[in-house]
């Protein structure tokens, strides 16, 4: 399959945060760079958002993007009582990696791009089949540097008699990640996430290259340090190919938010969303509601109250407190449903994005130059929030946590902060400049990200 039209097999794991960038990569490779693309899919998906997304992707990009069914081996989840359903799917996929061999051989793949979450188990399988194997790192370059450095950090601590202890992590050539920003689970060496994370971090050096959904101008320190081998020596090629551009699917918009946005003045709306898997405690939801109300601004709020959308029960009125929806009627739109976030972020009425800083959300805000008020919660989100402030994309109130000892963030504080950021011209100007830099990197043919992706495709052709 080498030659004119390479066939690239993409292997995403579970969760929208992983599926979305893979869908974007699929379209960029097929429509933008002349590749045949197959996307491996495990059905049924964990959430219904993923099922809808896959269906829309294959319908929109047919026939250049094909579906490859990846059937998992039986997996007994009772080994991990109480584990997050997405982590369980990661583990089930990891254990089924040997089944990928025949799949890759039959598909006639010229290269495979695996999700970072599966990297350490897919790399040896691909090697055995003689298929070059790349990794798509679905988070920031700062997080990639952290992931690459962390196993060595743990080894050094063990050698110094501090096995399993995790404090501040100083990434060589990058910057220091304070203990409070280290993903919580990593403090527990036995945690399923820690085991997967460390194995993948060690495996990275065996990849033929690593694609990252970021761009040089947003994260210059991390991208440069990785490429120069300062983080880990002899590190594979790093292709910064972001922001991967949104694939516009025809919006199903029963809540009517696009029409509502059309009716609002320019830059007047605060868009609030904490991602697809962040369930917020009922008490914090109430404070957030009070804060949005007190800010006096218009707002569009996507409320999620459960981890998996299949059981997103509960009436909005009950969740947000008595009379709230009536009081904000006219200046706010609140919905529990799925929204097309990239369409919202590129709408001229949106002036601020209050975000949990899932990496895709950050890249989407960067792509459209929308300022972010970071309110990270777990995983890599605090590391991403630091990228937001360093990169000039917005503000972060570091004291705000979601379930820390400090307790709830009060509605009053939320309202004041939103008012302050919305009034700050400098924040808006800097974010707009990030938007310009993102466009220059990813959409113009001479841009750093465009050229990186072209270079990757060139290697798949060889
Ligand atoms: Br909610 C929601 N519409 O209503 P992140 C999310 N998204 O388009 P997360 C919508 O899902 P993980 C909605 O634009 C982004 O591309 C959003 O990814 C989109 O965070 C994606 O921002 C969410 O990386 O993912 O969901 O926490 O934890 O799996 O990384």
């Amino acid at each position: 399959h080498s030659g004119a039209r390479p066939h690239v097999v993409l292997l995403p794991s579970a969760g929208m945060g992983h599926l979305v960038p893979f869908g974007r990569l699929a379209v960029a490779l097929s429509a933008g760079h002349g590749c045949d693309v197959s996307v491996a899919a495990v059905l049924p998906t964990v959430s219904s958002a993923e099922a809808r997304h896959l269906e829309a992707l294959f319908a929109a990009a047919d026939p250049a993007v094909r579906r490859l069914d990846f059937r998992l081996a039986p997996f007994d989840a009772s080994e991990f009582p109480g584990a997050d359903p997405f982590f369980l799917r990661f583990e089930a996929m990891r254990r089924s990696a040997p089944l990928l061999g025949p799949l890759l051989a039959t598909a006639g793949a010229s290269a495979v791009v695996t999700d970072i979450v599966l990297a350490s188990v897919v790399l040896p399988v691909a090697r055995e089949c003689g298929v070059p194997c790349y990794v798509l790192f679905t988070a920031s370059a700062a997080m990639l540097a952290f992931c690459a450095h962390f196993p060595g950090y743990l080894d050094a601590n063990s050698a110094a008699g501090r096995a399993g202890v995790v404090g501040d992590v100083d990434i060589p050539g990058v910057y220091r990640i304070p203990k409070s920003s280290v993903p919580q689970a990593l403090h527990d060496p036995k945690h399923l996430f820690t085991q997967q994370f460390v194995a993948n971090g060690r495996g990275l050096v065996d990849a033929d290259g690593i694609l990252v959904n970021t761009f040089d101008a947003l994260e210059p320190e991390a991208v440069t340090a990785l490429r120069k081998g300062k983080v880990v020596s002899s590190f594979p090629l790093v292709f910064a190919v972001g922001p991967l551009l949104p694939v516009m699917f025809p919006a199903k918009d029963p809540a009517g938010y696009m029409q509502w946005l059309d009716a609002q003045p320019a830059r007047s709306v605060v868009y609030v969303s904490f991602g697809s898997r962040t369930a917020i405690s009922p008490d914090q939801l109430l404070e957030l509601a009070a804060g949005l109300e007190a800010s006096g601004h218009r707002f569009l709020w996507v409320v999620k109250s459960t981890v998996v959308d299949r059981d997103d029960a509960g009436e909005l009125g009950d969740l947000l407190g008595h009379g709230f929806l009536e009081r904000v009627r006219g200046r706010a739109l609140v919905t529990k449903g799925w929204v097309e976030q990239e369409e919202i972020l590129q709408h001229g009425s949106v002036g601020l994005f209050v975000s949990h800083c899932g990496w895709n959300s950050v890249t989407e805000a960067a792509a459209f130059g929308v300022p972010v008020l970071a309110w990270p919660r777990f995983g890599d989100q605090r590391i991403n929030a630091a990228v937001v402030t360093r990169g000039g994309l917005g503000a972060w109130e570091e004291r705000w946590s979601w379930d820390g000892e400090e307790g709830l963030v009060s509605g009053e504080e939320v309202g004041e902060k939103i008012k302050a950021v919305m009034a700050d011209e400098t924040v808006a100007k800097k974010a707009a400049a990030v938007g310009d830099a993102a466009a220059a990197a990813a959409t113009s043919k001479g841009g750093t990200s465009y050229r990186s992706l072209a270079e990757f495709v060139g290697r798949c052709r060889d």
Side-chain angles (χ1 to χ4, degrees), residues 17 20 275-277 302 304 338-339 341 356 358-361 364:
V20 164
S276 60
R277 3 183 289 170
V302 183
K304 293 274 181 293
W338 185 260
V339 299
Q341 177 164 296
H356 72 316
W359 184 246
N360 294 293
S361 293
E364 289 156 15

Side-chain angles (χ1 to χ4, degrees), residues 348-369:
S349 301
V350 174
L352 180 66
F353 178 14
V354 182
S355 170
H356 72 316
C357 291
W359 184 246
N360 294 293
S361 293
V362 173
T363 64
E364 289 156 15
F368 302 119

Side-chain angles (χ1 to χ4, degrees), residues 14-21 24 53 86 90 138 271 273-278 302 304 336-342 344-345 353 355-364 378 380-381 384:
M16 287 302 276
H18 295 266
L19 189 55
V20 164
R24 291 175 180 167
H53 193 80
F86 294 94
F90 298 164
T138 51
Y271 168 57
S273 172
F274 299 102
S276 60
R277 3 183 289 170
T278 310
V302 183
K304 293 274 181 293
K336 291 199 316 177
W338 185 260
V339 299
E340 293 302 326
Q341 177 164 296
E342 58 263 24
I344 291 173
L345 288 173
F353 178 14
S355 170
H356 72 316
C357 291
W359 184 246
N360 294 293
S361 293
V362 173
T363 64
E364 289 156 15
F378 45 51
D380 60 339
Q381 293 161 10
N384 302 342

